[in-house]
Amino acid sequence: MNKEKYTLLWKIIVLIFLIHLIPFNVSHAIDSTDSSEIPVTDSLTDIIKNSIKSVQLADENGKLKSATYQMEFARSIANFDSIDSVFPDRSGNNIIVVYFDKNRVVKLASFQASNGKFLWETTLSKGFVRQTIYEVQDNGEIFCTTEDKNNFYLYTVNEKTGKITRFIKQALPSKPSFLDWNYWILNNNELLMSFSMNNKSKLRYFDHNGKVIRTQELSGILRDVQNNNLLITSGTSTNVHFKVQDLHEKVRFTGELKDGMIWESYLFPDLSVALETNIGGIGENTFRLHKYNSTGKKEWIHTTINAYSPYKHIGDHIIVITPILSKVISLDKGKISKVLKDRKDVSISLKHKLLYFSDKTVRIADSKKMKWLAEINYIQNHSYNAWLNKQQLAIIDYDNKVLAVIKITEK
């Protein structure tokens, strides 16, 4: 064997040896139209890991402490043009994503939170989501309302299968007018749909298959429903008459309020009432909440400034969200009972009964217990976050179109 051949042979042997030393990371290209693919590659995982600076987990007293995390999965969502919302199912084992595809069609998709396995996908309508979804209802249905230039649409979707269980269409009025369109589940799993316009409400009752059982017309605007009782308002925007009555129109109590423009109206499980008003002449972001007991007697009044539509309720619990002051207040009989305060200029949102205080750092709190749950610090936050109740956090990376779940644990 001459020298040239001998040298060439050794080069080949060395090259083969080096090739075997290289750790291969084999990934496959995914068809962005196929939601059943589960691409879990180091590149997608690294995108999420490289965006996270640190995490914290709260103890039982709500005190945040340094923690660690592990990746549950990371997968491409290249076919998701934009995300409306992400939330867990009732078990907490699966996540549901409401999104628009590239043709602006509204879709729902479900994945296992532990590994990203695709479970189901459901196509709704073209248009936009009129009411953002943050949770599954107690009866296991997801409610989604969409709208186009001619109609409102309501879809109810089974959380386990993605099957559309009810579909209801409501034509928009031909002329501009005040209207209110809403829906509620009654105690017997019937669906009550209300379409209110010009101080009159048309009610339709649907069975579990979406078939109309009966219709009803009421004077006034149906504002809220609890335990098969209705809260109805009438009168002018600044002189409001309200009443609580049952499904057979038997009135429990009535009341009257003259205090600025009515903004929101709440009926609580114990059939007490709260009316939120926007106070003119004091400040454009001044709101007031009037609380009445279950017989219509006024219990208390609370006023908030520097906040837009600040009052929210979770069951019978009332909180006040004031982003300008970077805090959330819990009310007990109209008085401040607890306060969650964060950094200056954070955005504050209420999703799935949880509070999110967000900038580069996202802090998550239980809105009823008013305690911190977790914190995640991003290098640069271009993400959507959803706490999944099992110390898991769903993350949507908008820039790179990645859906991931991490599990945060104590150090």
Side-chain angles (χ1 to χ4, degrees):
M1 182 181 292
N2 61 36
K3 185 177 180 180
E4 288 78 16
K5 288 184 178 180
Y6 182 84
T7 302
L8 178 61
L9 179 60
W10 269 107
K11 285 182 178 180
I12 293 172
I13 292 171
V14 170
L15 179 60
I16 292 172
F17 177 74
L18 290 174
I19 288 172
H20 280 281
L21 290 178
I22 298 174
F24 277 89
N25 176 21
V26 180
S27 62
H28 58 276
I30 63 166
D31 178 359
S32 63
T33 63
D34 183 3
S35 296
S36 63
E37 294 291 343
I38 313 170
V40 182
T41 70
D42 285 346
S43 59
L44 297 180
T45 297
D46 288 344
I47 285 172
I48 301 300
K49 286 184 173 181
N50 292 336
S51 70
I52 297 173
K53 188 175 181 180
S54 65
V55 295
Q56 293 192 66
L57 188 65
D59 62 19
E60 60 183 9
N61 296 316
K63 184 177 180 180
L64 291 166
K65 297 181 178 180
S66 181
T68 186
Y69 72 91
Q70 66 186 37
M71 295 293 307
E72 303 282 59
F73 72 87
R75 61 172 293 152
S76 172
I77 50 170
N79 57 321
F80 291 23
D81 187 64
S82 62
I83 307 295
D84 178 80
S85 53
V86 181
F87 51 94
D89 67 0
R90 290 177 300 165
S91 72
N93 296 324
N94 307 313
I95 55 177
I96 297 157
V97 183
V98 183
Y99 73 97
F100 294 90
D101 69 11
K102 293 178 180 178
N103 295 315
R104 301 306 294 168
V105 174
V106 182
K107 294 186 176 182
L108 277 68
S110 181
F111 307 89
Q112 283 188 6
S114 60
N115 56 22
K117 179 183 177 182
F118 170 79
L119 298 175
W120 53 258
E121 184 176 79
T122 297
T123 299
L124 301 185
S125 64
K126 195 168 184 176
F128 64 91
V129 178
R130 182 174 181 263
Q131 191 167 343
T132 296
I133 309 166
Y134 291 131
E135 62 186 317
V136 178
Q137 300 299 309
D138 290 339
N139 68 347
E141 288 181 313
I142 306 161
F143 282 73
C144 185
T145 58
T146 64
E147 181 181 339
D148 59 27
K149 64 180 181 180
N150 297 314
N151 300 290
F152 290 134
Y153 305 94
L154 171 65
Y155 298 84
T156 67
V157 179
N158 183 285
E159 66 172 339
K160 293 182 178 179
T161 65
K163 179 183 177 182
I164 296 173
T165 52
R166 298 182 250 213
F167 169 70
I168 294 149
K169 178 179 177 180
Q170 172 66 56
L172 287 163
S174 57
K175 296 180 180 179
S177 177
F178 168 82
L179 59 91
D180 193 63
W181 187 67
N182 216 330
Y183 57 88
W184 299 267
I185 288 291
L186 302 179
N187 292 352
N188 58 359
N189 204 34
E190 288 181 9
L191 171 66
L192 169 58
M193 175 76 67
S194 172
F195 187 78
S196 302
M197 190 167 58
N198 299 327
N199 253 344
K200 293 182 179 179
S201 295
K202 294 182 179 180
L203 277 56
R204 288 179 290 167
Y205 296 81
F206 300 86
D207 65 16
H208 64 279
N209 293 316
K211 181 181 178 181
V212 177
I213 301 170
R214 62 188 182 280
T215 61
Q216 188 178 14
E217 291 195 11
L218 299 175
S219 176
I221 300 168
L222 178 56
R223 298 283 188 170
D224 203 359
V225 176
Q226 282 283 351
N227 294 327
N228 288 3
N229 282 269
L230 316 178
L231 171 61
I232 301 167
T233 65
S234 59
T236 66
S237 60
T238 57
N239 183 14
V240 177
H241 298 269
F242 64 93
K243 62 182 175 180
V244 174
Q245 65 182 45
D246 65 18
L247 299 179
H248 304 291
E249 301 187 44
K250 180 181 178 180
V251 176
R252 293 183 177 274
F253 64 85
T254 63
E256 184 180 11
L257 176 63
K258 298 178 181 180
D259 184 57
M261 180 176 292
I262 192 78
W263 205 260
E264 292 285 355
S265 308
Y266 305 116
L267 182 61
F268 297 97
D270 65 354
L271 303 186
S272 60
V273 170
L275 303 177
E276 181 183 43
T277 55
N278 182 212
I279 314 302
I282 299 176
E284 60 180 354
N285 287 329
T286 300
F287 284 79
R288 185 175 290 155
L289 193 71
H290 300 256
K291 181 67 168 57
Y292 302 82
N293 67 17
S294 57
T295 64
K297 182 180 178 181
K298 183 170 283 191
E299 293 181 309
W300 49 263
I301 302 173
H302 185 272
T303 302
T304 300
I305 61 173
N306 296 323
Y308 180 79
S309 191
Y311 297 99
K312 311 294 178 185
H313 78 95
I314 306 95
D316 58 357
H317 182 63
I318 301 173
I319 60 173
V320 189
I321 299 177
T322 55
I324 291 178
L325 303 176
S326 303
K327 66 182 180 181
V328 176
I329 297 166
S330 176
L331 295 180
D332 181 16
K333 297 179 181 178
K335 305 295 183 182
I336 297 173
S337 62
K338 295 179 181 177
V339 177
L340 281 175
K341 187 169 177 59
D342 207 348
R343 299 138 291 146
K344 187 179 179 181
D345 297 328
V346 297
S347 66
I348 305 175
S349 58
L350 176 66
K351 302 183 294 188
H352 189 234
K353 303 180 180 69
L354 301 178
L355 290 161
Y356 291 78
F357 296 72
S358 305
D359 52 16
K360 283 187 179 181
T361 297
V362 178
R363 287 192 181 131
I364 306 164
D366 184 310
S367 63
K368 190 164 186 178
K369 295 179 180 179
M370 293 290 282
K371 290 182 179 180
W372 298 114
L373 296 172
E375 174 185 291
I376 181 167
N377 298 290
Y378 290 99
I379 303 297
Q380 192 173 14
N381 187 8
H382 294 152
S383 300
Y384 183 108
N385 299 269
W387 188 247
L388 304 179
N389 303 326
K390 295 187 175 182
Q391 297 180 194
Q392 293 173 309
L393 182 72
I395 301 171
I396 301 282
D397 185 309
Y398 289 123
D399 295 341
N400 297 289
K401 295 295 184 72
V402 178
L403 166 63
V405 170
I406 65 173
K407 186 176 180 67
I408 303 177
T409 56
E410 297 178 359
K411 276 190 173 179

